[in-house]
């Protein structure tokens, strides 16, 4: 069982501390922080040990979520629990940050109180918890489950991409707040993470897609909804459907609450969504992208007569012309001896700089339309440039965000709510692809 | 605060109770005041309030609370609302842990809990298991017999993932009678192998592996089926989860190295991952290498060698070196090409790998000797230097400039800080002297002179003295000692990698062991072993808290404030009569109370008994029938020591109580007098 749960800010401030069993004291918080800060980068910090206590923690939203235990329990369960706690805080408080946690400490204590008793998980379902917490939400908390304007859309992804997701901007503003009718919304998000390695000769060495369908429900009463996927959607290699471009994934897992009786024939998922966010389906695609990878890089390395290193890069975006990539950022390691850099970029909406701490070039493109091509020329001042230094250049890694695009081609055909709601709820379907790791060898 | 808890506003109530639970242990007397309100709330119409009150009451961690919570818990177990029952079931465990010295577990309660395993609410059922587990800890935990196991298996689909993973863990205790039953269980639980919840997934794998411990083929099949879910867990978005899954994958690979061989690309590092995950992935990649994928994996590892983080780059080079033990040619070409980068950390790591490789694969010696030329300028750290010096010593005859490299190092010996490098240097120079005496003699002399005369490190000095004396015995003797037969590397445990049987680690699956790693876990276990011994000793001297049945009845029937204070008094630690006397004489009386007392005298033993039940110790009495009759009492409470004198004055028919205390605490005195008056009241009524 779990003995204590506590939340720390990245600076080590105590935000939340709950002792479930009274077997240990609060001094462990400071010990934890000292330990976690002192860890060298290559040490796995997830489980630490101090004086009979196992400290298991995760980091989300810049906060440490820590659970302590004396027994040898399942790491998966504890990590899942802490993740769930973070997700619930996000659901109830709108976002996950030091500030929201500070402002809602009472609500979070209340949550913890209902989620866990004597170190045992009682329930983490939003539906059940809502009954106990709802009273709280009425007392005009600054943030609540239904206060839509604070809901982060892809909050979970902020861990790796510091930029605000592009789809956040396209969210509709609520006209009237606090009115029951206007809270009638449901979001279905298809989120894919793309991992690609392109070899130095341009061949695709690895391409994986991790996708999930998330439902975020703000309906006052949740009835069954039906989500229709592409009819040609198929799982596994053997099974191909239709004659058009098949949408194929290798592996697919569903939330337990999803009913699949119409999935086999009509590709329809039936689900009773609970309030807040939940993952309905997770899927993976290995090594076979239906489309070309979204970016291609054509680099040239040259030594000019004055001893400078010339890096000429052409970056092509292979998306369909209508869509575009946002917040593209290319990172290219350069020789360690590099002193300075001069640049020549093809268009004004880009920027580039040499990062001295990591000795790499950071090339940022805010918006990159599909089918277009950008180029950049960097002149690097490297004393003692040798042919070996050229080996130090690369690999280039890209991070980006592709709104309204899925790499597998998965689409939501329709989203139907079964029984007639008093007012027709607003339904939103959104697609986004994030780069998990997009590497181009040079 | 206590008054505030009487509010009807649930939010306020929750916060007040939360506050009370946190501070009850510090101020037990104040928390006692709240018991009444809590009792009242336990009978509220709203099940949420009932549950909340019961949970808070059970969570007040202070001595003596048990007598107040027993009744509400029993009521709660039979409550209509599942929410209250959940709380009540765990309340049983809390109550049990609050009175650890009680020897016998209430059998009726245990039976009731076993009965509640059939409760319609799934969480109540799981909580019953948890509570029973804690209450029956001394008897080895909850018993899972066939009916219970089957009941749990039937209900497991109704549970939430947390309950499922816990029940799956409890089921580990059950051994099916027949093979048929075993396979029925496996079939029933098969769906859980594809659970989205990694906790359930891991618990299922663990259960399956343990159940089928006698059937290795089934185990392999289970792992095969779990491969996909495990892979997606090891590519999960949450990096902590990813790491935990990778650790478990690594464990599986120890037994079934081929299981993930096809999916080796899943274990390529992505650039956004933190280093600890990358390290783990590289370790896995080493295990996955086979004839088909070796080229791709080496190419991938080669790309990591130029990583910005020197530690990561070195780890990648070491990984290539490890693979080189089986695929030496391909690795040698990569390693030699890396030398061209002329970077310190890379060169150092490569040379270290060269040393290990020539030891295990003598066929690479020529290549290594060619590659070693010119790399001495780029090695600055001591591990790299040791490796280089060793290589120069052993293969000095094949490396043309070996003596000159060593000479450089010898000339700069004063700046060398690490004794290990010096030891290595001594041996290498000696070896080189044997093969190329003309070039080495002079510098060997300088080296020995320096090490004997100026070196402060004992091991280095002793070693050089040893070599010096060895040389005095003659070159042939030296050659015999230094150039004798080397041990065969294949005899050592370096290369042999036995495939471990699954059952070796099946019990550690889904626990912290794979994450800590075996060695660290052993260390933790041994540290804890010694610690738990010492805590056991401490537990034995815990003071026991006598319960007084009469007062308990009164507590439930009367609403007198004083009763609630009672348990906060205690008679320990005891005070000797001498120190009592000293204190009595130095302290000032802080309160005097007179009670009427008509009866003649009182029997001291009755008084003593009655007082000790109220946690007041009677230290000394006058003999009966002496006038004036006196008694001296003391008690601890609320961080203060209270001393009292009873003086029975026959002429006025009154009993005079004089109270003194060590630290000023008005409340403590109040409560003490209340208790005392009560006892006297009882004495009187018992007499009449």
């Amino acid at each position: 069982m779990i003995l204590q749960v506590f939340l720390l800010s990245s600076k080590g401030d105590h935000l939340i501390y709950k002792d479930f069993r009274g077997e240990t004291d609060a001094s462990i918080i400071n010990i934890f922080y000292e330990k976690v800060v002192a860890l060298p980068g290559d040490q796995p910090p997830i489980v630490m040990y101090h004086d009979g206590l196992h400290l298991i923690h995760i980091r989300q939203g810049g906060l440490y979520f820590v659970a302590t235990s004396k027994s040898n329990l399942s790491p998966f369960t504890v990590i899942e629990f802490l993740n769930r706690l973070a997700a619930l805080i996000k659901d109830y408080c709108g976002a996950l940050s030091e500030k929201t946690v500070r402002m809602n400490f009472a609500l979070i204590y209340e949550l913890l109180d209902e989620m866990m008793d004597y170190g045992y998980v009682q329930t983490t379902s939003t539906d059940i918890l809502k009954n106990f917490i709802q009273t709280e939400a009425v007392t005009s908390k600054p943030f609540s489950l239904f206060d839509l304007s604070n809901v982060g859309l892809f909050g979970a992804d902020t861990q790796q991409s510091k930029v605000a997701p592009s789809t956040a901007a396209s969210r509709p503003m609520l006209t009237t707040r606090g009115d029951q009718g206007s809270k009638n919304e449901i979001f279905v998000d298809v989120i894919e993470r793309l991992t690609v390695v392109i070899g130095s000769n341009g061949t695709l060495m690895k391409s994986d897609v991790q996708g999930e369908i998330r439902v975020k429900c703000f309906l006052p009463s949740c009835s069954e909804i039906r989500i229709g996927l592409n009819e040609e959607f198929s799982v596994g290699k053997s099974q191909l459907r239709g004659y058009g471009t098949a949408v194929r994934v290798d592996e697919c897992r569903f939330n337990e609450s999803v009913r699949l009786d119409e999935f086999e024939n009509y590709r329809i998922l039936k689900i009773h969504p609970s309030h807040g966010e939940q993952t309905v389906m997770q899927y993976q695609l290995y090594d076979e992208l239906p489309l070309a990878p979204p970016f291609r890089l054509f680099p040239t390395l040259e030594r000019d007569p004055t001893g400078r290193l010339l890096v000429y890069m052409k970056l092509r975006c292979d998306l369909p012309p209508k869509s575009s990539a946002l917040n593209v950022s290319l990172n290219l390691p350069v020789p360690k001896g590099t002193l300075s850099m001069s640049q020549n970029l093809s268009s004004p909406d880009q920027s580039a700089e040499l990062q001295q701490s990591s000795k790499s070039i950071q090339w940022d493109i805010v918006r990159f339309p599909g089918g277009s091509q950008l180029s950049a020329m960097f002149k690097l001042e490297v004393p003692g440039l040798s042919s070996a230094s050229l080996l130090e250049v690369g690999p280039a890694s890209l991070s980006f965000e592709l709104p309204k695009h899925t790499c597998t081609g998965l689409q939501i055909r329709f989203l139907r709510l079964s029984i007639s709601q008093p007012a027709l709820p607003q339904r939103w379907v959104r697609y986004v692809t994030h780069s998990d790791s997009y590497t181009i060898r040079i | 605060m206590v008054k505030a808890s009487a509010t009807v506003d649930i939010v306020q109530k929750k916060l007040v109770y939360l506050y009370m639970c946190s501070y009850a242990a510090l101020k037990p007397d104040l928390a006692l005041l709240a018991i009444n309100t809590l009792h009242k709330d336990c009978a509220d119409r709203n099940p949420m309030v009932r549950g909340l009150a019961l949970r808070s009451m059970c969570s007040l961690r202070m001595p003596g609370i048990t007598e107040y919570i027993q009744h509400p818990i029993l009521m709660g177990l039979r409550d209509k609302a599942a929410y209250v029952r959940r709380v009540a079931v765990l309340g049983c465990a809390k109550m049990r842990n609050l009175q650890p010295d009680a020897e016998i577990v209430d059998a009726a309660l245990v039976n009731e809990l076993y009965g509640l395993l059939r409760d319609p609410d799934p969480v109540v059922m799981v909580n019953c298991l948890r509570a029973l587990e804690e209450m029956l800890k001394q008897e080895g935990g909850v018993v899972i017999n066939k009916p219970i196991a089957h009941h749990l298996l039937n209900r497991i689909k109704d549970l939430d993932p947390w309950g499922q993973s816990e029940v799956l863990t409890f089921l580990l205790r059950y051994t099916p009678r027949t093979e048929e039953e075993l396979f029925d269980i496996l079939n029933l639980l098969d769906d859980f192998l594809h659970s989205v919840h990694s906790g359930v997934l891991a618990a299922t794998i663990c259960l399956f592996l343990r159940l089928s411990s006698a059937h290795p083929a089934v185990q392999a099949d289970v792992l095969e089926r779990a491969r996909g879910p495990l892979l997606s867990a090891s590519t999960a978005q949450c990096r902590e989860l990813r790491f935990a899954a990778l650790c478990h994958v690594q464990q599986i690979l120890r037994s079934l190295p081929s299981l993930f061989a096809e999916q080796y690309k899943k274990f390529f590092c992505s650039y956004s991952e933190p280093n600890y995950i990358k390290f783990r992935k590289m370790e896995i990649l080493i295990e996955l290498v086979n004839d088909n994928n070796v080229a791709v994996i080496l190419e991938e590892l080669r790309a990591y060698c130029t990583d910005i983080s020197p530690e990561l780059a070195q780890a990648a080079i070491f990984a290539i070196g490890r693979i080189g033990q089986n695929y030496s040619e391909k690795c040698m070409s990569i390693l030699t090409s890396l030398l061209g980068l002329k970077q310190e950390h890379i060169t150092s790591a490569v040379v270290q790998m060269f040393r290990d490789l020539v030891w295990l694969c003598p066929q690479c010696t020529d290549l290594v000797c060619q590659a070693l030329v010119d790399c001495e300028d780029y090695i600055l750290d001591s591990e790299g230097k040791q490796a280089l010096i060793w290589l120069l010593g052993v293969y000095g005859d094949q490396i043309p400039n070996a003596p000159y490299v060593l000479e450089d190092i010898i000339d700069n010996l004063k700046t060398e800080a690490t004794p290990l490098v010096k030891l290595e240097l001594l041996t290498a120079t000696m070896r080189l002297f044997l093969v190329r005496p003309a070039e080495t003699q002079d510098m060997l002399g300088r080296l020995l002179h320096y090490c004997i005369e100026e070196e402060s490190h004992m091991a280095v000095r002793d070693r050089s003295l040893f070599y010096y004396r060895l040389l005095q015995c003659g070159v042939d003797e030296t050659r015999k000692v230094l150039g004798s037969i080397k041990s065969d590397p294949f005899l050592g445990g370096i290369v042999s990698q036995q495939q471990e049987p699954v059952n070796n680690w099946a019990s550690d699956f889904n626990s912290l062991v794979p994450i800590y790693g075996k060695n660290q876990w052993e260390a933790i276990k041994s540290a804890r072993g010694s610690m738990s011994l010492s805590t056991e000793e401490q537990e034995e001297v815990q003071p026991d808290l006598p319960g007084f049945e009469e007062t308990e009845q009164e507590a439930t029937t009367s609403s007198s404030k004083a009763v609630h204070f009672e348990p906060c008094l205690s008679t320990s630690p005891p005070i000797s009569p001498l120190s009592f006397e000293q204190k009595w004489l130095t302290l000032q009386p802080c309160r005097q109370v007179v009670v009427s007392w008509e009866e003649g005298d009182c029997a001291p033993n009755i008084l003593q008994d009655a007082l000790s039940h109220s946690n007041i110790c009677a230290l000394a009495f006058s003999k009966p029938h002496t006038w004036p009759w006196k008694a001296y009492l003391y008690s601890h409470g609320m961080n203060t020591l209270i001393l009292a004198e009873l003086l029975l004055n026959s002429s006025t028919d009154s009993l005079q109580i004089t109270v003194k205390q060590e630290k000023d605490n008005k409340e403590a005195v109040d409560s003490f007098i209340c208790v005392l008056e009560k006892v006297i009241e009882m004495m009187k009524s018992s007499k009449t």
Side-chain angles (χ1 to χ4, degrees), chain A residues 153-155 157-158 160-170 190-194 294-295 317 319 323-330 365-370 398-407 431-438, chain B residues 271:
Chain A
L153 293 185
F154 299 108
D157 307 314
T158 49
Q160 40 173 308
S161 61
K162 282 162 227 79
V163 288
S166 51
T167 38
S170 65
V190 181
I191 301 157
E192 295 190 344
R193 289 182 295 132
L194 184 64
F295 293 100
C317 178
L319 290 174
S323 46
S324 60
L326 296 178
N327 300 320
V328 182
S329 163
L330 184 142
I365 303 145
V366 180
R367 187 184 167 83
F368 200 164
L398 276 151
S399 69
F400 52 84
E401 194 173 302
L402 312 176
K404 296 179 232 158
H405 182 84
T406 55
C407 287
Y431 304 95
V432 71
T433 298
H434 289 278
S435 57
D436 192 29
S437 167
Y438 198 97
Chain B
Y271 77 101

Side-chain angles (χ1 to χ4, degrees), chain A residues 18-72:
Chain A
K18 181 126 174 111
D19 186 352
F20 287 99
R21 292 177 67 97
E23 291 173 19
T24 42
D25 57 2
S27 62
I28 194 72
I29 305 180
N30 289 330
I31 296 172
F32 166 80
Y33 189 69
E34 280 162 25
K35 277 188 134 194
V36 87
V37 172
L39 270 179
D42 51 343
Q43 284 287 312
I46 290 155
V47 186
M48 289 183 290
Y49 180 80
H50 177 80
D51 199 13
L53 266 186
H54 304 289
L55 304 159
I56 304 173
H57 84 274
I58 65 164
R59 279 202 78 168
Q60 273 211 11
L63 304 172
Y64 294 101
F65 290 74
V66 194
T68 65
S69 173
K70 279 186 178 161
S71 49
N72 182 15

Side-chain angles (χ1 to χ4, degrees), chain B residues 97-114:
Chain B
N97 282 354
L98 279 175
Q99 33 174 193
D101 50 334
E103 277 166 20
I104 308 151
V105 184
D106 188 352
L109 195 60
V110 170
N111 279 338
E112 181 135 12
L113 286 179
Y114 269 116

Side-chain angles (χ1 to χ4, degrees), chain B residues 476-548:
Chain B
D476 291 334
E477 285 295 317
T478 314
R479 196 178 307 260
K480 243 189 242 171
V481 172
L482 276 180
S484 56
I485 312 153
K486 289 176 220 162
S487 67
D488 185 358
F490 290 96
L491 291 176
I494 315 166
V495 184
S496 63
Q497 274 191 336
Q498 285 279 314
Q499 285 178 17
E500 229 182 319
V502 175
N503 290 334
N504 270 11
W505 48 262
S507 54
D508 290 337
F509 200 82
N510 192 24
S511 76
L512 298 175
V513 182
I515 295 187
Y516 277 117
K518 241 194 175 139
N519 297 335
Q520 205 186 341
W521 180 255
E522 292 297 327
I524 288 172
K525 247 196 344 203
S526 57
R528 181 185 284 197
S530 59
M531 201 178 60
S532 68
L533 275 180
S534 59
T535 50
E536 266 167 27
E537 283 163 14
Q538 283 171 1
E539 270 167 14
E540 279 169 12
V541 290
Q542 275 192 345
D544 40 353
L545 310 157
F548 187 25

Side-chain angles (χ1 to χ4, degrees), chain B residues 361-656:
Chain B
C361 320
Q363 69 271 25
C364 332
T365 313
D366 291 343
L367 277 172
V368 168
C369 292
Q370 286 163 25
L372 269 185
V373 180
D374 287 346
C375 61
E376 69 276 2
D377 295 343
Y378 303 99
I379 297 180
L380 295 178
D381 62 331
S382 70
E383 279 86 16
K385 269 188 191 167
Q386 287 171 47
L388 178 69
I389 294 172
W390 187 87
L391 282 168
L392 289 175
V394 176
Y395 300 104
D397 48 341
Q398 297 169 48
I399 305 169
N401 65 342
Y404 309 104
V405 178
L406 284 184
E407 188 162 21
D408 270 355
I409 303 176
I410 290 171
D411 288 345
N412 297 319
L413 199 60
K414 282 207 174 77
T415 55
E416 180 58 56
T418 351
L420 280 174
V421 175
K422 293 177 186 166
L423 288 177
E424 207 65 74
L425 187 63
L426 275 168
T427 316
T429 321
M430 283 296 284
R431 281 187 176 140
L432 201 60
F433 173 69
L434 293 178
V435 287
R436 296 162 80 166
E439 294 157 288
T440 326
Q441 189 176 16
D442 184 39
M443 63 190 197
L444 179 64
R446 269 184 288 149
L447 177 67
L448 286 176
H449 181 264
Y450 173 83
C451 286
I452 294 168
E453 297 295 325
E454 292 177 46
E455 178 59 45
S456 57
H457 196 272
M458 269 311 147
V460 179
R461 231 173 64 184
D462 284 353
R463 178 78 66 92
S464 42
L465 278 171
F466 167 73
Y467 284 140
Y468 183 68
R469 284 167 200 152
L470 191 64
L471 285 171
Q472 282 179 333
C473 298
V475 176
D476 291 334
E477 285 295 317
T478 314
R479 196 178 307 260
K480 243 189 242 171
V481 172
L482 276 180
S484 56
I485 312 153
K486 289 176 220 162
S487 67
D488 185 358
F490 290 96
L491 291 176
I494 315 166
V495 184
S496 63
Q497 274 191 336
Q498 285 279 314
Q499 285 178 17
E500 229 182 319
V502 175
N503 290 334
N504 270 11
W505 48 262
S507 54
D508 290 337
F509 200 82
N510 192 24
S511 76
L512 298 175
V513 182
I515 295 187
Y516 277 117
K518 241 194 175 139
N519 297 335
Q520 205 186 341
W521 180 255
E522 292 297 327
I524 288 172
K525 247 196 344 203
S526 57
R528 181 185 284 197
S530 59
M531 201 178 60
S532 68
L533 275 180
S534 59
T535 50
E536 266 167 27
E537 283 163 14
Q538 283 171 1
E539 270 167 14
E540 279 169 12
V541 290
Q542 275 192 345
D544 40 353
L545 310 157
F548 187 25
E549 280 187 31
E550 262 180 71
T551 46
E552 196 218 327
Q553 276 171 14
E554 280 190 33
T556 46
T557 51
S558 85
S559 57
S560 158
K561 251 177 143 186
V563 183
H564 294 315
F565 271 118
E566 208 173 298
C568 64
L569 298 175
S570 109
T571 52
S572 66
I575 296 176
S576 71
L578 192 69
S579 68
F580 183 92
E581 198 180 344
Q582 279 176 354
K583 284 180 177 152
W584 183 259
L585 292 176
T586 52
L587 293 169
Q588 291 299 312
C590 66
R591 194 78 60 87
Q592 282 206 327
V593 184
V594 179
V595 223
S596 67
W597 186 266
E598 278 119 13
E599 313 298 322
D601 51 9
C602 67
N605 52 342
I606 299 177
L607 181 69
Q608 193 168 14
D609 260 346
L611 287 172
S612 76
H613 279 310
S614 317
N615 285 332
I616 299 173
C617 184
L619 192 75
F621 305 92
S622 324
K623 281 187 189 133
H625 310 295
T626 50
W627 305 102
W629 182 87
K630 281 185 184 176
Y632 288 101
L633 320 170
Y634 74 88
S635 181
H636 298 275
M638 288 179 270
N639 307 323
T640 178
L641 175 70
I642 303 170
L643 311 174
E645 180 199 54
L646 303 183
L647 180 73
L648 190 61
N649 204 329
S650 61
S651 55
T652 52
D653 276 342
S654 63
L655 185 69
Q656 189 186 327

Side-chain angles (χ1 to χ4, degrees), chain B residues 313-331:
Chain B
Q314 290 199 329
I317 294 167
F318 293 150
I320 294 177
R322 286 265 303 278
I323 295 173
Q325 293 172 6
N326 296 323
Y327 299 93
S328 54
E329 287 158 42
K330 294 190 179 96
C331 296

